[in-house]
Amino acid sequence: VQLQASGGGLVQAGGSLRLSCAATRSTFYINAAGWYRQAPGSQRELVASISNDDSTTYAESSKGRFTISTDNAKKTLYLQMNSLKPEDTAVYYCHADLYDASHSPRGYWGQGTQVTVSS
């Protein structure tokens, strides 16, 4: 496992959660990364992404409510989710291009973390 996701849970509508996704090997750094989600019966969709220069993009459904970021060391990816809605309920996956001194960036998926928003 190269990426470890955490932070999901059950929250009421209007509440907040912060998801984290950490590179498990200390020598790895995050290049570009993104958060995706998959609801039952639906395809996996991009929620937000961040590039290696920290520029960000958001899906229309998450604009103004979610914020993607990394720590200064570029080892942990975050997704701050505010004003959550029941339709945000899904399994959230992180994806990151990881690299170190010996390897070019290569994409990895985290294991997914469940977010459930009750009405």
Side-chain angles (χ1 to χ4, degrees):
V1 175
Q2 307 294 354
L3 287 172
Q4 185 71 43
S6 62
L10 173 64
V11 64
Q12 289 188 332
S16 299
L17 284 173
R18 187 172 84 153
L19 306 182
S20 299
C21 179
T24 56
R25 292 179 65 176
S26 61
T27 57
F28 276 1
Y29 297 90
I30 294 171
N31 191 28
W35 286 97
Y36 295 73
R37 67 186 182 188
Q38 187 167 19
S42 299
Q43 290 188 331
R44 191 172 297 189
E45 62 177 3
L46 178 66
V47 175
S49 65
I50 186 166
S51 66
N52 57 356
D53 65 359
D54 291 335
S55 60
T56 57
T57 60
Y58 294 92
E60 284 298 320
S61 59
S62 59
K63 277 182 183 177
R65 299 187 300 126
F66 294 2
T67 302
I68 188 171
S69 63
T70 60
D71 66 346
N72 289 337
K74 297 287 188 178
K75 292 185 177 291
T76 304
L77 175 71
Y78 300 103
L79 184 69
Q80 177 67 43
M81 303 187 293
N82 300 326
S83 302
L84 283 161
K85 305 175 182 180
E87 50 264 44
D88 294 318
T89 295
V91 177
Y92 284 70
Y93 298 90
C94 57
H95 180 273
D97 293 334
L98 302 180
Y99 71 97
D100 64 10
S102 304
H103 301 87
S104 299
R106 175 184 170 186
Y108 295 91
W109 287 97
Q111 84 281 16
T113 184
Q114 176 71 47
V115 171
T116 303
V117 184
S118 63
S119 58

PDB file of all heavy atoms in Angstrom, residues 11-17 65 81-86 88 117-119:
ATOM      1  N   VAL A  11     -21.839  11.923   8.999  1.00  0.00           N
ATOM      2  CA  VAL A  11     -22.037  13.303   9.405  1.00  0.00           C
ATOM      3  C   VAL A  11     -23.415  13.761   8.950  1.00  0.00           C
ATOM      4  O   VAL A  11     -23.942  13.256   7.956  1.00  0.00           O
ATOM      5  CB  VAL A  11     -20.923  14.201   8.808  1.00  0.00           C
ATOM      6  CG1 VAL A  11     -20.983  14.224   7.296  1.00  0.00           C
ATOM      7  CG2 VAL A  11     -20.953  15.597   9.382  1.00  0.00           C
ATOM      8  N   GLN A  12     -23.987  14.701   9.685  1.00  0.00           N
ATOM      9  CA  GLN A  12     -25.274  15.250   9.282  1.00  0.00           C
ATOM     10  C   GLN A  12     -25.099  16.258   8.161  1.00  0.00           C
ATOM     11  O   GLN A  12     -24.026  16.871   8.018  1.00  0.00           O
ATOM     12  CB  GLN A  12     -25.956  15.912  10.471  1.00  0.00           C
ATOM     13  CG  GLN A  12     -26.471  14.930  11.521  1.00  0.00           C
ATOM     14  CD  GLN A  12     -27.306  15.607  12.579  1.00  0.00           C
ATOM     15  OE1 GLN A  12     -27.121  16.784  12.873  1.00  0.00           O
ATOM     16  NE2 GLN A  12     -28.239  14.867  13.158  1.00  0.00           N
ATOM     17  N   ALA A  13     -26.129  16.438   7.398  1.00  0.00           N
ATOM     18  CA  ALA A  13     -26.106  17.440   6.329  1.00  0.00           C
ATOM     19  C   ALA A  13     -25.735  18.800   6.920  1.00  0.00           C
ATOM     20  O   ALA A  13     -26.203  19.180   7.992  1.00  0.00           O
ATOM     21  CB  ALA A  13     -27.467  17.510   5.650  1.00  0.00           C
ATOM     22  N   GLY A  14     -24.873  19.496   6.200  1.00  0.00           N
ATOM     23  CA  GLY A  14     -24.381  20.783   6.666  1.00  0.00           C
ATOM     24  C   GLY A  14     -23.091  20.688   7.453  1.00  0.00           C
ATOM     25  O   GLY A  14     -22.453  21.709   7.731  1.00  0.00           O
ATOM     26  N   GLY A  15     -22.699  19.470   7.808  1.00  0.00           N
ATOM     27  CA  GLY A  15     -21.485  19.264   8.582  1.00  0.00           C
ATOM     28  C   GLY A  15     -20.237  19.243   7.717  1.00  0.00           C
ATOM     29  O   GLY A  15     -20.297  19.467   6.499  1.00  0.00           O
ATOM     30  N   SER A  16     -19.109  18.959   8.370  1.00  0.00           N
ATOM     31  CA  SER A  16     -17.808  18.975   7.700  1.00  0.00           C
ATOM     32  C   SER A  16     -17.017  17.713   8.026  1.00  0.00           C
ATOM     33  O   SER A  16     -17.195  17.100   9.083  1.00  0.00           O
ATOM     34  CB  SER A  16     -16.991  20.192   8.148  1.00  0.00           C
ATOM     35  OG  SER A  16     -17.633  21.396   7.814  1.00  0.00           O
ATOM     36  N   LEU A  17     -16.170  17.347   7.097  1.00  0.00           N
ATOM     37  CA  LEU A  17     -15.198  16.278   7.298  1.00  0.00           C
ATOM     38  C   LEU A  17     -13.911  16.671   6.592  1.00  0.00           C
ATOM     39  O   LEU A  17     -13.952  17.400   5.589  1.00  0.00           O
ATOM     40  CB  LEU A  17     -15.698  14.948   6.710  1.00  0.00           C
ATOM     41  CG  LEU A  17     -16.758  14.155   7.460  1.00  0.00           C
ATOM     42  CD1 LEU A  17     -17.206  12.972   6.610  1.00  0.00           C
ATOM     43  CD2 LEU A  17     -16.251  13.675   8.802  1.00  0.00           C
ATOM     44  N   ARG A  65     -17.377  24.417  -1.742  1.00  0.00           N
ATOM     45  CA  ARG A  65     -17.608  23.657  -0.505  1.00  0.00           C
ATOM     46  C   ARG A  65     -16.397  22.813  -0.116  1.00  0.00           C
ATOM     47  O   ARG A  65     -16.155  22.596   1.069  1.00  0.00           O
ATOM     48  CB  ARG A  65     -18.823  22.736  -0.680  1.00  0.00           C
ATOM     49  CG  ARG A  65     -20.123  23.456  -0.982  1.00  0.00           C
ATOM     50  CD  ARG A  65     -21.309  22.492  -0.976  1.00  0.00           C
ATOM     51  NE  ARG A  65     -21.167  21.438  -1.975  1.00  0.00           N
ATOM     52  CZ  ARG A  65     -21.237  20.135  -1.695  1.00  0.00           C
ATOM     53  NH1 ARG A  65     -21.434  19.728  -0.454  1.00  0.00           N
ATOM     54  NH2 ARG A  65     -21.110  19.232  -2.659  1.00  0.00           N
ATOM     55  N   MET A  81     -14.049  19.105   3.414  1.00  0.00           N
ATOM     56  CA  MET A  81     -15.406  19.109   2.866  1.00  0.00           C
ATOM     57  C   MET A  81     -16.335  19.813   3.845  1.00  0.00           C
ATOM     58  O   MET A  81     -16.499  19.362   4.990  1.00  0.00           O
ATOM     59  CB  MET A  81     -15.886  17.673   2.624  1.00  0.00           C
ATOM     60  CG  MET A  81     -14.974  16.874   1.712  1.00  0.00           C
ATOM     61  SD  MET A  81     -15.645  15.264   1.278  1.00  0.00           S
ATOM     62  CE  MET A  81     -15.606  14.462   2.876  1.00  0.00           C
ATOM     63  N   ASN A  82     -16.907  20.906   3.413  1.00  0.00           N
ATOM     64  CA  ASN A  82     -17.842  21.684   4.225  1.00  0.00           C
ATOM     65  C   ASN A  82     -19.229  21.670   3.585  1.00  0.00           C
ATOM     66  O   ASN A  82     -19.376  21.340   2.411  1.00  0.00           O
ATOM     67  CB  ASN A  82     -17.360  23.123   4.365  1.00  0.00           C
ATOM     68  CG  ASN A  82     -16.006  23.224   5.036  1.00  0.00           C
ATOM     69  OD1 ASN A  82     -15.666  22.427   5.915  1.00  0.00           O
ATOM     70  ND2 ASN A  82     -15.219  24.210   4.636  1.00  0.00           N
ATOM     71  N   SER A  83     -20.221  22.040   4.378  1.00  0.00           N
ATOM     72  CA  SER A  83     -21.604  22.111   3.885  1.00  0.00           C
ATOM     73  C   SER A  83     -21.990  20.831   3.163  1.00  0.00           C
ATOM     74  O   SER A  83     -22.531  20.862   2.053  1.00  0.00           O
ATOM     75  CB  SER A  83     -21.771  23.317   2.948  1.00  0.00           C
ATOM     76  OG  SER A  83     -21.420  24.510   3.614  1.00  0.00           O
ATOM     77  N   LEU A  84     -21.726  19.713   3.801  1.00  0.00           N
ATOM     78  CA  LEU A  84     -21.970  18.429   3.159  1.00  0.00           C
ATOM     79  C   LEU A  84     -23.448  18.186   2.928  1.00  0.00           C
ATOM     80  O   LEU A  84     -24.307  18.621   3.710  1.00  0.00           O
ATOM     81  CB  LEU A  84     -21.371  17.307   3.999  1.00  0.00           C
ATOM     82  CG  LEU A  84     -19.850  17.167   3.866  1.00  0.00           C
ATOM     83  CD1 LEU A  84     -19.264  16.382   5.025  1.00  0.00           C
ATOM     84  CD2 LEU A  84     -19.495  16.514   2.544  1.00  0.00           C
ATOM     85  N   LYS A  85     -23.739  17.500   1.831  1.00  0.00           N
ATOM     86  CA  LYS A  85     -25.102  17.186   1.435  1.00  0.00           C
ATOM     87  C   LYS A  85     -25.267  15.663   1.345  1.00  0.00           C
ATOM     88  O   LYS A  85     -24.290  14.951   1.124  1.00  0.00           O
ATOM     89  CB  LYS A  85     -25.393  17.793   0.062  1.00  0.00           C
ATOM     90  CG  LYS A  85     -25.145  19.276  -0.033  1.00  0.00           C
ATOM     91  CD  LYS A  85     -25.332  19.766  -1.474  1.00  0.00           C
ATOM     92  CE  LYS A  85     -25.049  21.240  -1.598  1.00  0.00           C
ATOM     93  NZ  LYS A  85     -25.222  21.719  -2.988  1.00  0.00           N
ATOM     94  N   PRO A  86     -26.486  15.170   1.467  1.00  0.00           N
ATOM     95  CA  PRO A  86     -26.690  13.719   1.331  1.00  0.00           C
ATOM     96  C   PRO A  86     -26.141  13.165   0.016  1.00  0.00           C
ATOM     97  O   PRO A  86     -25.640  12.033  -0.018  1.00  0.00           O
ATOM     98  CB  PRO A  86     -28.209  13.581   1.426  1.00  0.00           C
ATOM     99  CG  PRO A  86     -28.632  14.723   2.288  1.00  0.00           C
ATOM    100  CD  PRO A  86     -27.719  15.849   1.908  1.00  0.00           C
ATOM    101  N   ASP A  88     -23.487  13.846  -1.335  1.00  0.00           N
ATOM    102  CA  ASP A  88     -22.030  13.650  -1.255  1.00  0.00           C
ATOM    103  C   ASP A  88     -21.679  12.267  -0.724  1.00  0.00           C
ATOM    104  O   ASP A  88     -20.501  11.894  -0.698  1.00  0.00           O
ATOM    105  CB  ASP A  88     -21.409  14.711  -0.334  1.00  0.00           C
ATOM    106  CG  ASP A  88     -21.530  16.110  -0.887  1.00  0.00           C
ATOM    107  OD1 ASP A  88     -21.322  16.288  -2.103  1.00  0.00           O
ATOM    108  OD2 ASP A  88     -21.822  17.032  -0.101  1.00  0.00           O
ATOM    109  N   VAL A 117     -23.526  11.034   4.506  1.00  0.00           N
ATOM    110  CA  VAL A 117     -24.148  12.278   4.962  1.00  0.00           C
ATOM    111  C   VAL A 117     -25.632  12.014   5.154  1.00  0.00           C
ATOM    112  O   VAL A 117     -26.336  11.672   4.195  1.00  0.00           O
ATOM    113  CB  VAL A 117     -23.926  13.419   3.966  1.00  0.00           C
ATOM    114  CG1 VAL A 117     -24.501  14.724   4.524  1.00  0.00           C
ATOM    115  CG2 VAL A 117     -22.439  13.573   3.650  1.00  0.00           C
ATOM    116  N   SER A 118     -26.104  12.182   6.366  1.00  0.00           N
ATOM    117  CA  SER A 118     -27.516  11.947   6.661  1.00  0.00           C
ATOM    118  C   SER A 118     -28.307  13.245   6.542  1.00  0.00           C
ATOM    119  O   SER A 118     -27.788  14.329   6.816  1.00  0.00           O
ATOM    120  CB  SER A 118     -27.667  11.369   8.059  1.00  0.00           C
ATOM    121  OG  SER A 118     -27.199  12.302   9.028  1.00  0.00           O
ATOM    122  N   SER A 119     -29.546  13.101   6.155  1.00  0.00           N
ATOM    123  CA  SER A 119     -30.387  14.294   5.972  1.00  0.00           C
ATOM    124  C   SER A 119     -31.116  14.668   7.251  1.00  0.00           C
ATOM    125  O   SER A 119     -31.103  13.945   8.230  1.00  0.00           O
ATOM    126  CB  SER A 119     -31.390  14.036   4.853  1.00  0.00           C
ATOM    127  OG  SER A 119     -32.167  12.900   5.168  1.00  0.00           O
TER     128      SER A 119
END
